Structure formats: C-alpha cells, structure tokens
Amino acid sequence: DAGITQSPRHKVTETGTPVTLRCHQTENHRYMYWYRQDPGHGLRLIHYSYGVKDTDKGEVSDGYSVSRSKTEDFLLTLESATSSQTSVYFCAISEPSRTDTQYFGPGTRLTVL
Amino acid sequence: DQQVKQNSPSLSVQEGRISILNCDYTNSMFDYFLWYKKYPAEGPTFLISISSIKDKNEDGRFTVFLNKSAKHLSLHIVPSQPGDSAVYFCAASEVTGANNLFFGTGTRLTVIP
C-alpha cells in the first residue's frame, strides 16, 4: 500500500466555518490530488499539485483552495463550508511518469451542518 | 454530464462463477482506462488498466476488455471470490499521463459464498 494518510478521518462542522483537510505521503511522489466522492457522481477532481507550490484546478474547484509547501503534504481548505460540501474526500498520489495511475488515501468524511 | 457511466449499481454472483462489470464512455478522446476496487471506509485501490492500443489486458483472475468502436469496456473476474465483494469504479483519462481521471459512479459487487 502507498504510504498515504489523511487527517482528520471524520469531521462535523457548521456552515460558514473554515475547514482544512490534510494529506500526508511518505512515497516522495511529485503529484498529489484531492477528489470528492458523492452518490451518483463517482469521484471528481477538485485540485491537484505537480510540485511544491505548483497547483491547478480540477473539475469541481469552486469553494476550495489548496496549498503545498512540502513534497509530503497537500492541504485542502474550505474557506467557508457549505452543506453542499458534505462529502467524502480522497487524496491521491502518482509518479510523474504515470500520472494516470493514482493511489488513494483512506478518505475523510466531512459533514457540514 | 457523466462522461464515464456504469449503468449497473449492483451485481450479485455466486462464488466460483464469473463476474462481469461493465463501463461505457462518451468521450472519444479517452485513451487510457482503469479499474479501481473500493472497500467500505477505505480509499479506492488500483486494480488493472488498459491502453487504447490494446483490446485486452490480463492480471491473474482479472481481465479488462476494451471495445473502442462501442466505447465500452468490461472487467471480468474469474473465478469470483467472497473477498472480491466491493465497489468497482471504472475511470478514464484523455491522454496517457494526464492528470484528470474521470470516474464512473461505481458498481457494488457481492460474491455469495
């Protein structure tokens, strides 16, 4: 298994509060991703990073920001959480030579009340 | 608009028999396809992939078939085992090495002992 951890694993928060999810890898992979999984949609890409301080938007980036100050950490921030952001969030990593084969963390279940 | 579709939300198969999971796509630019398996409370695990230059790829009990003209792929599991019970996601990317994977909504496979 790829060395990927996510924290917290579960979080309940209220609408309008900021939330930060953390992804940590021990594989030294250059590429990291944040997805959300919702019923009826599968997994959808939020943001990804192709190096320290290098990030780009995915399919559903509105309302989310990311930061990557170290190779091993990729943070996802919801500046002001909304109920529509209730979801399961997955972090993934990949090697530059094979960015289409991604390896996923265990997920964070976020509930916004 | 869902570019990768898994029209069967669930499938039940007897242990030892063949499991066939199907996936359709609409984007003719997709040229790399993957299957992921997901157990409850865990992240998706990469299972098998296929490039558009092939029509079949095997890995042990798992075989993926690609029919480009029909924009259809399938995953065959033979023989099915109870440990195969999980949700299976089909995913696709436009260019090998691209960052954005497009996922289907998943099929829950139950293998009955």
Side-chain angles (χ1 to χ4, degrees):
Chain A
D1 288 347
I4 311 169
T5 57
Q6 293 184 230
S7 58
R9 294 293 313 278
H10 301 272
K11 185 170 182 65
V12 179
T13 190
E14 294 188 349
T15 298
T17 60
V19 176
T20 295
L21 308 182
R22 179 180 182 240
C23 177
H24 179 79
Q25 60 146 328
T26 57
E27 305 297 318
N28 202 36
H29 282 7
R30 182 174 159 200
Y31 283 77
M32 300 185 75
Y33 311 81
W34 277 107
Y35 288 85
R36 60 179 288 174
Q37 183 195 1
D38 303 290
H41 289 281
L43 285 83
R44 291 178 293 174
L45 182 66
I46 304 171
H47 282 279
Y48 68 95
S49 169
Y50 46 96
V52 174
K53 299 190 188 304
D54 293 322
T55 65
D56 206 347
K57 295 179 179 180
E59 184 184 357
V60 290
S61 59
D62 287 349
Y64 302 95
S65 61
V66 290
S67 64
R68 189 161 178 209
S69 58
K70 297 186 290 185
T71 298
E72 58 266 35
D73 290 325
F74 192 31
L75 304 180
L76 177 70
T77 297
L78 292 66
E79 300 290 348
S80 177
T82 68
S83 58
S84 64
Q85 294 176 311
T86 292
S87 187
V88 181
Y89 292 85
F90 290 100
C91 174
I93 63 175
S94 68
E95 298 176 347
S97 58
R98 294 304 308 270
T99 56
D100 45 18
T101 303
Q102 299 175 10
Y103 300 91
F104 286 81
T108 294
R109 181 174 294 277
L110 176 68
T111 302
V112 183
L113 301 176
Chain B
D1 186 29
Q2 199 76 19
Q3 298 187 59
V4 178
K5 300 177 182 179
Q6 294 176 258
N7 293 318
S8 297
S10 63
L11 173 69
S12 292
V13 173
Q14 290 286 338
E15 181 179 3
R17 304 295 292 270
I18 183 171
S19 295
I20 300 176
L21 294 90
N22 294 304
C23 178
D24 297 295
Y25 61 95
T26 58
N27 187 343
S28 57
M29 297 300 292
F30 286 151
D31 72 345
Y32 193 76
F33 305 89
L34 308 90
W35 285 93
Y36 284 83
K37 179 168 78 171
K38 185 182 180 303
Y39 293 119
E42 295 184 11
T45 302
F46 169 71
L47 193 58
I48 192 169
S49 62
I50 188 168
S51 165
S52 61
I53 62 173
K54 295 185 176 181
D55 55 15
K56 177 183 174 181
N57 189 28
E58 280 183 84
D59 185 1
R61 296 185 298 113
F62 302 91
T63 303
V64 56
F65 295 92
L66 176 62
N67 183 334
K68 285 184 293 182
S69 61
K71 295 191 178 67
H72 177 84
L73 64 155
S74 61
L75 175 68
H76 293 210
I77 306 173
V78 184
S80 301
Q81 299 174 354
D84 296 329
S85 297
V87 177
Y88 289 79
F89 289 98
C90 171
S93 67
E94 288 187 359
V95 176
T96 301
N99 296 300
N100 198 8
L101 286 179
F102 293 87
F103 283 82
T105 52
T107 296
R108 181 178 301 279
L109 173 66
T110 301
V111 180
I112 304 165

